[in-house]
Amino acid sequence: MKSYIAPLVLLLFSLVSCEKEITVDLPEAQKKIVVEGTILPGEFPLVLLSWTQGYFDPTDITSLQNIFVHGAEISISTNGTTYPLVEFCSSDLSPQELELASQALGLSAETLQSLDLCLYTSFQLTGEANTVYSIEIHKDDFHITGETKIPQLVELDTMYFDIINPAVQDTLGFIYGRLSDPDTLGNAYRWFAKRINLYPDNTPDLELRGQPKDRTFIAPFGSVYDDTFFNGLSFDFVYPRGLESNSQKFDDDNDERGYFKVGDTVAVRGCTIDRSSFKFIRSLETQIANQGSPFATPFNLEGNLEGGLGAFIGYG
């Protein structure tokens, strides 16, 4: 044993002596505009613009206030007609309008008021299936363009709820569905769900009592898929319950997290999306899943815009 200990001690000392503190000066990243744009059949387009932030920049109420891009010129063109978008900020909304905005964006009215969230829309334009939309954005020296299509809806064949483990918990489960994919390669889909029933009077959080369980449709993690492996076939799938961003609700922090519950009334929004939108959402969810892991394969987000980050997505 003694003959092994001496070399081991020498090796440990040599490793310690090789340590050196290194300071890395990170270069200043070029400032860019991030676009979050959507358009759905029968609904007005919604476009949110924000500035990129440094990885180590502080995140507080002041920095969040300054992250939104104001005064941009945005237009959406389709079928030979161009529609200018108008900027609206939550501080300009009436209480009734603020509640509608809360439902559309999935943010509480208090959050909208504190952040003074601003977005762009046009009340002259509503989405239609099988239609292509081009977006153009101008802000100072920034010029961003992109295109998306609202594909034809592929309806879900059926949906049902099933309890995952009745022997352990007889009220919690997932929603299952079946879809028949058209025999044309390249179809892509996204799943959203929204609990529309109210929290009961015995809810532990007094503020939630009598309130809808979900403010908006929520996409769970891994919400997109394409027909690479099931083109032209009928297939079954299952999804857990998605969580609102930064949710502090009790049922997102206990055994009910990720589950639907017996007694819930759930509205499902099954969407078709074009290929570029699918690639963007898939790459975004993959990066979130990596969580900065050093063993993950690095790659950039696959957006569908030129001159900026993010995406403009049409949902069927």
Side-chain angles (χ1 to χ4, degrees):
M1 287 294 293
K2 292 181 179 179
S3 62
Y4 288 108
I5 292 175
L8 180 59
V9 171
L10 289 175
L11 176 61
L12 291 175
F13 275 112
S14 65
L15 290 176
V16 171
S17 64
C18 291
E19 289 183 359
K20 182 179 181 180
E21 185 175 327
I22 299 176
T23 301
V24 179
D25 293 326
L26 297 176
E28 188 73 22
Q30 181 184 0
K31 203 171 187 180
K32 294 184 178 181
I33 292 178
V34 182
V35 181
E36 298 177 62
T38 58
I39 185 167
L40 288 80
E43 296 188 14
F44 306 125
L46 295 176
V47 178
L48 177 67
L49 301 182
S50 57
W51 297 106
T52 52
Q53 282 187 300
Y55 189 83
F56 297 104
D57 287 354
T59 302
D60 51 32
I61 190 66
T62 302
S63 62
L64 290 176
Q65 289 283 14
N66 297 330
I67 199 174
F68 301 114
V69 179
H70 301 285
E73 296 179 4
I74 306 178
S75 62
I76 295 178
S77 301
T78 182
N79 295 325
T81 303
T82 299
Y83 300 87
L85 273 60
V86 180
E87 182 179 10
F88 291 91
C89 295
S90 53
S91 59
D92 302 326
L93 302 179
S94 67
Q96 294 78 13
E97 292 170 332
L98 199 62
E99 181 59 32
L100 293 174
S102 172
Q103 297 173 12
L105 299 173
L107 298 172
S108 67
E110 293 77 13
T111 299
L112 291 176
Q113 285 178 318
S114 62
L115 288 180
D116 193 20
L117 181 68
C118 298
L119 54 81
Y120 299 79
T121 189
S122 170
F123 297 128
Q124 308 302 317
L125 172 64
T126 55
E128 295 182 12
N130 286 324
T131 305
V132 175
Y133 298 89
S134 300
I135 189 169
E136 190 166 357
I137 301 170
H138 291 275
K139 171 62 179 176
D140 299 332
D141 295 332
F142 294 91
H143 180 212
I144 303 171
T145 59
E147 185 177 275
T148 191
K149 179 181 180 180
I150 298 181
Q152 183 63 42
L153 173 65
V154 178
E155 295 189 10
L156 297 170
D157 294 340
T158 185
M159 292 181 297
Y160 62 94
F161 167 82
D162 194 21
I163 294 173
I164 299 301
N165 194 344
V168 177
Q169 176 56 259
D170 61 358
T171 62
L172 304 179
F174 296 149
I175 291 181
Y176 294 74
R178 170 172 281 262
L179 183 91
S180 295
D181 180 67
D183 191 13
T184 52
L185 190 63
N187 298 302
Y189 307 92
R190 195 177 194 194
W191 164 280
F192 297 83
K194 174 183 178 182
R195 298 172 298 170
I196 61 176
N197 54 306
L198 307 181
Y199 281 105
D201 292 337
N202 61 351
T203 298
D205 191 335
L206 298 180
E207 294 183 357
L208 292 178
R209 293 180 180 180
Q211 298 297 314
K213 284 195 169 183
D214 293 323
R215 283 188 292 262
T216 188
F217 285 94
I218 305 171
F221 184 75
S223 60
V224 295
Y225 51 97
D226 66 355
D227 63 354
T228 300
F229 299 108
F230 50 76
N231 178 49
L233 302 176
S234 295
F235 63 97
D236 295 328
F237 58 91
V238 59
Y239 270 115
R241 176 172 65 84
L243 310 178
E244 293 181 4
S245 298
N246 304 313
S247 174
Q248 302 296 318
K249 296 191 294 187
F250 74 97
D251 51 359
D252 289 337
D253 194 32
N254 61 12
D255 291 341
E256 297 182 30
R257 180 184 176 91
Y259 291 100
F260 296 98
K261 189 175 184 178
V262 170
D264 283 340
T265 303
V266 183
V268 169
R269 172 176 278 176
C271 298
T272 50
I273 53 178
D274 63 16
R275 191 71 185 170
S276 62
S277 300
F278 164 74
K279 288 182 177 180
F280 170 75
I281 300 169
R282 181 184 61 179
S283 64
L284 176 64
E285 292 184 334
T286 301
Q287 285 207 350
I288 294 173
N290 289 341
Q291 293 285 334
S293 169
F295 304 105
T297 303
F299 61 92
N300 292 324
L301 290 177
E302 301 185 52
N304 61 357
L305 300 168
E306 295 289 337
L309 303 177
F312 178 45
I313 301 176
Y315 287 103

